[in-house]
């Protein structure tokens, strides 16, 4: 007899993983999915365990994408090598500095949307181009932001379709182009305490020798696909506010609540929904015994909707009491810029709503969220640019 696990397909998860996650959390919180060729972990505690225990669940395992990024990247490393790479730059990304990223993102958005009227695709015309410039600024990369965005999208294409040779070829070409662009600049890079890449090169705990290009470029390759993340999250937040006039009015009347709205969207619709690990030994997880060498996907998007942790988890509600999220990971591989991403998202949305309080979804092309490794709307078509907040309220659907 066919079981529920046998019916799960990548296509179903891409369209909307959340109904599948809900049933898995209830009946199969740690399940081997035949169509995926891996184990899927969906409850909060299980996902946190996978992300926290790097000795049992390693990030270092063979894959097509690890060949493209390079096995020496910061994500695949662990122990002293990983700690050394993080220690070189952690000072730059302390939470107290996140406000600078928020204000820079807000400034760039205001410059870009001022003068816009009527309709636009905010994702393509505003959010992603601005995020690319913020990302370039954060890392002090000597690559123009337009090229950086294109390379990030090409590298991400392979990560989404790691079994597709054509997509992998696009990612490999992007990695080669990035290497060719950065190598001459990197080799001449002197010490600069304000530059993340310069710090990776010259601050090498335990060694007097600077790191070579082969030690640093894999890390730039592996973090570049995360460039679109704040733009995707900002798009999801705008969609949530477009769909709920009451909460949109809350943000309009109480701008100090925008930070709560960002925290909530990173729970409700995290832009990156999965992390991959491999077991290093037989291990028990949520009452299920996993063998050594098992490929595990920890479903961040599912854990953030665990009914035992969050009330009415499928509902976006910025008034929800803040609770810890698994969105940015735990343990030694917790996201290095976990304080900066919410700040950038807040700056993006604040800039748009400050200049265009009447913006709304374009009724002729409603935004459509899709994906499960990453969930986002590729196009965020809006109308009402240049309209007043009062006009936007008058056009709100009944709530």
């Amino acid at each position: 007899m066919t079981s529920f696990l046998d019916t799960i397909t990548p296509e179903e998860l891409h369209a909307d993983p959340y109904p599948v996650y809900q049933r898995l959390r209830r009946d199969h919180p740690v399940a081997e999915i035949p169509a995926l060729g891996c184990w899927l972990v969906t409850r909060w505690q299980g996902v946190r365990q996978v992300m926290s225990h790097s000795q049992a669940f390693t990030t270092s395992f063979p894959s097509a994408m690890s060949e493209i990024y390079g096995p020496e990247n910061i994500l695949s490393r662990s122990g002293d090598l990983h700690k050394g790479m993080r220690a070189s730059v952690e000072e730059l990304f302390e939470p107290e500095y996140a406000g600078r990223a928020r204000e820079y993102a807000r400034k760039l958005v205001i410059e870009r949307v001022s003068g816009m009227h009527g309709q636009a695709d905010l994702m393509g015309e505003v959010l992603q181009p601005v995020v690319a410039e913020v990302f370039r600024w954060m890392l002090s990369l000597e690559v123009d932001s337009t090229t950086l965005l294109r390379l990030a999208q090409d590298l991400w294409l392979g990560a989404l379709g790691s079994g597709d040779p054509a997509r992998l070829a696009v990612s490999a070409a992007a990695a080669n182009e990035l290497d060719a662009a950065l190598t001459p600049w990197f080799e001449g890079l002197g010490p600069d305490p304000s530059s993340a890449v310069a710090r990776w090169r010259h601050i090498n705990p335990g060694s007097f020798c600077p790191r070579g290009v082969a030690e640093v470029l894999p890390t730039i390759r592996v973090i570049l696909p995360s460039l679109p993340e704040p733009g995707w999250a900002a798009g999801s937040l705008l969609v949530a506010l477009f769909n709920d006039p009451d909460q949109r009015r809350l943000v309009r009347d109480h701008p100090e609540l925008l930070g709560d709205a960002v925290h909530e969207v990173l729970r409700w619709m995290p832009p990156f929904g999965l992390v991959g690990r491999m077991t290093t030994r037989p291990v028990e997880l949520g009452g299920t015994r996993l063998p050594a060498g098992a490929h595990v996907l920890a479903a961040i998007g599912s854990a953030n909707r665990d009914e035992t942790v969050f009330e009415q988890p499928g509902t976006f509600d910025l008034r929800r009491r803040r609770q810890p999220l698994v969105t940015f990971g735990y343990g030694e591989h917790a996201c290095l810029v976990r304080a900066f991403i919410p700040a950038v998202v807040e700056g993006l949305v604040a800039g748009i709503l400050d200049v265009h309080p009447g913006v709304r979804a374009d009724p002729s092309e409603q935004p459509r969220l899709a994906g499960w490794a990453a969930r986002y709307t590729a196009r965020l078509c809006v109308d009402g640019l240049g309209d007043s907040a009062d006009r936007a309220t008058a056009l709100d659907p009944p709530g």
Side-chain angles (χ1 to χ4, degrees):
M1 185 175 70
T2 301
S3 74
F4 168 61
L5 302 181
D6 293 324
T7 68
I8 298 172
T9 65
E11 293 76 17
E12 179 183 18
L13 291 166
H14 178 82
D16 186 357
Y18 289 105
V20 177
Y21 287 160
Q22 185 176 31
R23 186 166 173 184
L24 286 172
R25 286 195 302 271
R26 184 188 68 199
D27 300 330
H28 308 281
V30 180
E32 189 171 17
I33 311 298
L36 303 180
C38 66
W39 294 78
L40 195 56
V41 182
T42 49
R43 286 184 186 166
W44 169 275
Q45 289 295 345
V47 169
R48 179 165 180 173
Q49 182 177 341
V50 169
M51 300 173 85
S52 301
H53 294 79
S54 58
Q55 291 186 340
F57 299 94
T58 182
T59 60
S60 179
F61 54 90
S63 70
M65 288 313 297
S66 69
E67 292 183 15
I68 292 172
Y69 294 145
E72 296 303 310
N73 68 74
I74 194 171
L75 180 60
S76 296
R77 288 175 169 176
S78 59
D80 290 342
L81 287 172
H82 176 84
K83 289 177 184 176
M85 287 292 286
R86 289 184 70 102
S88 300
V89 297
E90 277 183 318
E91 181 182 340
L92 293 179
F93 301 116
E94 292 290 343
E96 57 263 34
Y97 300 136
R100 294 184 305 185
R102 179 181 61 247
E103 291 310 309
Y104 188 51
R106 179 174 173 272
K107 169 181 175 289
L108 292 178
V109 165
I110 289 174
E111 290 174 356
R112 187 169 282 260
V113 303
S114 294
M116 281 186 167
H117 293 280
Q119 299 173 319
D121 168 21
L122 287 184
M123 189 62 68
E125 297 178 47
V126 179
L127 295 176
Q128 293 300 7
V130 167
V131 167
E133 175 55 28
V134 172
F135 188 99
R136 190 202 63 75
W137 167 78
M138 283 171 53
L139 293 183
S140 303
L141 286 173
E142 288 295 318
V143 180
D144 70 89
S145 58
T146 301
T147 300
L148 204 61
L149 177 58
R150 175 177 57 79
L151 294 175
Q153 291 169 337
D154 286 351
L155 284 167
W156 182 242
L157 186 68
L160 285 175
S162 57
D164 185 333
R167 290 187 172 192
L168 288 171
V170 171
S171 291
N176 291 335
E177 183 180 346
L178 182 69
D179 290 359
L182 290 182
T183 297
W185 164 72
F186 179 86
E187 290 178 340
L189 191 61
D192 180 354
S194 67
S195 163
V197 181
R199 292 174 73 99
W200 270 323
R201 176 153 172 73
H202 291 283
I203 300 177
N204 192 0
S207 173
F208 293 106
C209 299
R211 295 186 179 95
V213 65
E215 296 177 89
V216 177
L217 275 181
T219 289
I220 298 176
R221 290 188 216 118
V222 83
I223 64 176
L224 187 54
S226 67
L227 181 158
E229 182 176 4
W232 289 342
S236 295
L237 176 53
L238 287 167
V239 170
L241 296 177
F242 292 158
N243 290 338
D244 192 324
D246 290 338
Q247 297 200 58
R248 177 167 178 167
R249 277 190 286 268
L250 267 177
V251 170
R252 182 193 68 194
D253 296 340
H254 303 280
E256 70 276 10
L257 293 179
L258 183 55
D260 293 328
V262 170
H263 184 84
E264 173 67 351
V265 83
L266 290 170
R267 179 203 68 84
W268 176 72
M269 196 70 67
F272 287 156
L274 298 170
V275 295
R277 299 287 190 269
M278 181 170 284
T279 55
T280 60
R281 60 177 184 261
V283 61
E284 185 170 303
L285 182 65
T288 299
R289 189 75 172 171
L290 301 181
H295 183 197
V296 176
L297 290 178
I300 294 169
S302 176
N304 280 343
R305 295 196 183 192
D306 189 327
E307 296 83 356
T308 66
V309 180
F310 304 97
E311 294 184 8
Q312 298 184 320
T315 301
F316 173 89
D317 187 355
L318 65 86
R319 296 158 294 196
R320 186 186 302 275
R321 178 176 63 88
R322 284 202 189 196
Q323 293 173 256
L325 309 177
V326 296
T327 303
F328 298 118
Y330 284 93
E332 69 172 348
H333 287 292
C335 179
L336 184 63
V337 293
R338 57 192 177 276
F340 276 58
I341 290 176
V344 172
V345 175
E346 185 174 346
L348 295 171
V349 176
I352 290 168
L353 296 182
D354 285 352
V355 178
H356 297 294
V359 66
R360 57 187 179 274
D362 184 346
S364 66
E365 188 174 345
Q366 290 293 312
R368 185 179 67 85
L369 291 159
W372 69 301
R375 190 158 184 84
Y376 60 96
T377 177
R379 285 173 55 82
L380 182 56
C381 296
V382 299
D383 197 358
L385 297 174
D387 285 357
S388 67
D390 291 340
R391 174 169 166 74
T393 302
L395 293 171
D396 281 338

